[in-house]
């Protein structure tokens, strides 16, 4: 790994940590993190290109290693919300077939272009010990398997046998054997069990132990056992990747009968955020319409301004599609901003028109208002576009986080400019009577 990083021209330095997680949690000795610091952006390729190059070299030169790569800040934010992966497929169904199905799904998802770091979600917890009670031998001492289970559970995990009264509540008293009594597996065979006759019978006299290696961890969601197949996205947008994941999961025979899935991770969070922002957008448009009614006391004028603002906000989708940037939360925030900005320009135009219409005809007032507002609106539009252009082009450190917002605002301004100066006057000419002043 060190030789690969040392040979890459984009890597400035790196550090390795074994046996500990990023949040301070403990890992196995064979697990760890490698923090890589890249050179300044002007001296290297974009970060996604560097990550793809290093990942391919690791896969080619270090076979058998299980790894994934991510940016530090996005990984920390993901850990804070307990949903660190953009793609998360929660499988639930027959517990006996979950692990095998998860491996099959992970292999299929890993073939999707742009999906990297796929994990099948099967985490090996370690060895377990199965205790098999012989019913015939247990009956000879007066035991039944359920009684043996209760005594073994009390010895290993403890059982609350009584409660002591306190000032405000009762405190349970847990009875269990000392932890050092089971330092080795063979110590379980000497575990004394109290027979109904009062005799102490070692567990080995009525049961056998079987060590099972490689048992996976069991995760549950809403009381259902699940396995979460996860993956990251390299380059493209999450919506495109999720659409490809849905197509793969819809293949006949990939999921066995009775096995279902649910998409989680950052995608599910994004969908929840989209619903919330959609409500905010609708509320903003309604509030804007009410305020315009109070300002102009005309449903016609208020409706014309709202239509202009909505058409300007729809340009966000065109701009994102032309630039190849996926729709996300910041883009929706920019679309909401465009509603207010386009409305502001339309209000200035309508106010200019009403002032001129008091002294001249409707047609002349509409043309004169467009002529008078051309320079202020053009200056506002150009200032906003030139200011946000570096972000829209992805120039500078951290610009990728705000790139969709910048593209959304630029697209909205570019369309609002002709709408306010040309489309809005034409609309007002159609809906306002000729003798209105």
């Amino acid at each position: 790994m060190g030789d690969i990083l040392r040979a890459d021209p984009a890597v400035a330095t790196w550090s390795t940590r074994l046996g500990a997680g990023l949040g301070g949690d403990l890992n196995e000795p064979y697990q760890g993190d490698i923090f890589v610091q890249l050179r300044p952006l002007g001296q290297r390729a974009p970060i996604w290109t560097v990550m793809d190059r290093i990942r391919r070299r690791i896969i080619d030169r270090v076979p058998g290693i299980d790894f994934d790569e991510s940016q530090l800040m996005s990984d920390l934010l993901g850990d804070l919300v307990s949903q660190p992966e953009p793609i998360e497929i929660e499988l639930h169904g027959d517990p006996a077939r979950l692990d095998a199905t998860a491996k099959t799904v992970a292999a299929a998802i890993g073939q999707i272009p742009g999906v990297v770091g796929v994990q099948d979600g099967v985490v090996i917890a370690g060895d377990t010990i199965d205790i098999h009670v012989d019913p015939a031998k247990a009956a000879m001492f007066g035991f039944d398997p359920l009684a043996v289970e209760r005594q073994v559970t009390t010895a290993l995990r403890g059982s609350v046998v009584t409660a002591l009264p306190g000032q405000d509540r009762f405190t349970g008293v847990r009875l269990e054997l000392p932890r050092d009594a089971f330092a080795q597996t063979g110590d379980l065979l000497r575990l004394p069990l109290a027979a109904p006759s009062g005799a102490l019978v070692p567990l080995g006299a009525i049961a056998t132990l079987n060590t099972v290696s490689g048992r996976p961890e069991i995760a549950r969601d809403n009381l259902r056992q699940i396995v979460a197949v996860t993956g990251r996205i390299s380059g493209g947008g999450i919506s495109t990747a999720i659409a490809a994941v849905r197509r793969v999961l819809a293949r006949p025979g990939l999921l066995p009968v009775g096995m279902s899935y649910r998409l989680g991770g950052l995608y599910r969070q994004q969908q929840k955020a989209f619903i919330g922002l959609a409500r905010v957008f609708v509320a903003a448009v309604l509030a804007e319409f009410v305020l315009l009614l109070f300002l102009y006391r005309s449903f016609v004028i208020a409706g014309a301004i709202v239509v202009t603002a909505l058409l300007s906000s729809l340009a966000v989708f065109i701009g994102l599609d032309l630039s190849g940037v996926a729709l996300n939360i910041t883009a929706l925030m920019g679309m909401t901003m465009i509603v207010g900005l386009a409305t502001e320009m339309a209000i200035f135009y309508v106010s200019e028109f009403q002032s001129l219409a008091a002294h001249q005809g409707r047609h002349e007032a509409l043309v004169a208002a467009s002529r008078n507002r051309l320079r202020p609106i053009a200056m506002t539009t150009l200032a906003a576009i030139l200011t946000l252009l570096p972000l829209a082009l992805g120039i500078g450190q951290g610009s990728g986080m705000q790139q969709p917002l910048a593209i959304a605002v630029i697209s909205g301004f570019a369309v609002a400019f002709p709408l306010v100066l040309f489309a809005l006057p034409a609309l007002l000419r159609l809906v306002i009577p000729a003798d209105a002043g």
Side-chain angles (χ1 to χ4, degrees):
M1 296 286 288
D3 294 338
I4 295 175
L5 295 176
R6 187 179 298 108
D8 195 286
V11 176
T13 183
W14 75 91
S15 62
T16 305
R17 176 178 56 188
L18 298 176
L22 186 60
D25 53 318
L26 298 178
N27 290 329
E28 298 295 334
Y30 56 83
Q31 295 178 332
D33 300 318
I34 299 179
F35 295 94
V36 180
Q37 180 179 353
L38 302 181
R39 300 185 185 276
L41 187 60
Q43 304 177 19
R44 60 170 173 84
I47 187 170
W48 295 112
T49 304
V50 176
M51 293 172 66
D52 290 341
R53 181 172 65 230
I54 294 177
R55 181 178 61 254
R56 288 193 298 268
R57 291 177 179 175
I58 293 175
I59 294 175
D60 294 339
R61 303 181 186 180
V62 192
I65 190 172
D66 188 12
F67 74 100
D68 63 17
E69 68 285 343
S70 64
Q71 298 186 62
L72 179 61
M73 186 58 66
S74 61
D75 189 64
L76 286 173
L77 292 176
D79 290 341
L80 288 175
V81 296
S82 301
Q83 298 284 2
E85 306 295 344
I87 299 175
E88 183 176 285
I89 307 168
E90 298 178 359
L91 301 172
H92 44 81
D94 183 5
R97 308 174 69 179
L98 270 178
D99 295 343
T101 304
K103 294 180 182 296
T104 303
V105 170
I109 297 301
Q111 302 301 319
I112 300 176
V115 177
V116 299
V118 178
Q119 304 289 334
D120 56 26
V122 180
V123 180
I124 303 302
D127 297 342
T128 60
I129 299 176
D130 286 347
I131 302 176
H132 177 70
V133 178
D134 189 327
K137 294 181 179 180
M140 293 176 56
F141 295 97
F143 289 109
D144 61 82
L146 185 59
V148 175
E149 179 186 358
R150 284 197 299 264
Q151 293 197 45
V152 173
T153 300
T154 299
L156 298 178
R157 302 178 182 176
S159 298
V160 178
V161 295
T162 186
L164 298 178
Q167 184 176 1
D168 300 322
R169 60 179 180 177
F170 285 88
T171 302
V173 177
R174 181 176 294 273
L175 176 65
E176 62 180 10
L177 292 180
R179 295 294 182 183
D180 56 3
F182 309 105
Q184 299 180 2
T185 304
D187 296 336
L188 288 175
L189 297 175
R190 295 188 291 272
L191 175 66
L193 303 178
S197 62
L200 294 179
V201 180
L203 178 62
I206 60 173
T208 57
L209 304 183
N210 182 29
T211 302
V212 181
S213 302
R215 295 295 295 270
E217 292 182 358
I218 296 177
R220 300 185 186 275
D221 179 61
N222 197 21
L223 301 181
R224 295 184 303 180
Q225 182 175 339
I226 66 168
V227 175
V229 179
T230 60
R232 298 183 183 272
I233 301 172
S234 176
I238 188 172
S239 300
T240 304
I242 291 298
V245 168
R246 290 184 185 274
R247 290 194 296 269
V248 170
L249 294 175
R251 294 176 183 172
L254 182 64
L255 296 180
V257 178
M259 190 73 63
S260 57
Y261 74 92
R262 183 181 68 170
L263 295 175
L266 296 183
Y267 172 74
R268 185 164 64 188
Q269 289 187 344
Q270 185 188 72
Q271 297 306 303
K272 293 180 181 179
F274 278 176
I275 295 174
L277 280 177
R279 294 173 180 172
V280 172
F281 183 82
V282 173
V285 172
L286 293 177
E288 174 188 290
F289 184 75
V290 173
L291 292 176
L292 290 173
L293 285 178
F294 280 104
L295 178 61
Y296 295 111
R297 299 181 181 180
S298 169
F299 282 95
V300 172
I301 295 179
I305 294 177
V306 169
V307 169
T308 302
L310 291 177
L311 291 176
S312 301
S313 64
L314 292 178
V316 172
F317 299 100
I318 300 176
L320 293 175
D321 184 66
L322 293 178
S323 60
V325 177
L327 178 68
N328 58 12
I329 303 301
T330 56
L332 289 180
M333 292 173 58
M335 188 171 67
T336 306
M337 293 170 57
I338 284 298
V339 172
L341 295 171
T343 300
E344 180 185 14
M345 292 192 296
I347 287 176
F348 285 133
Y349 173 82
V350 173
S351 298
E352 182 79 13
F353 161 70
Q354 288 184 330
S355 177
L356 295 173
H359 307 287
Q360 52 186 293
R362 180 192 61 176
H363 177 72
E364 292 77 8
L366 290 172
V367 175
S370 295
R371 187 186 307 113
N372 294 342
R373 299 308 305 174
L374 174 61
R375 180 176 296 178
I377 293 178
M379 292 177 61
T380 302
T381 302
L382 287 176
I385 291 177
L386 293 177
T387 301
L388 295 173
L389 195 58
L391 286 178
L393 296 177
I395 301 175
Q397 297 286 350
S399 59
M401 297 180 63
Q402 301 299 330
Q403 186 181 32
L405 174 65
I407 293 175
V409 175
I410 289 176
S411 303
F413 265 115
V415 173
F417 177 78
L419 284 178
V420 172
L421 293 178
F422 302 104
L424 181 59
L427 183 59
L428 292 177
R429 185 177 181 180
L430 293 176
V431 298
I432 295 180
D435 56 349

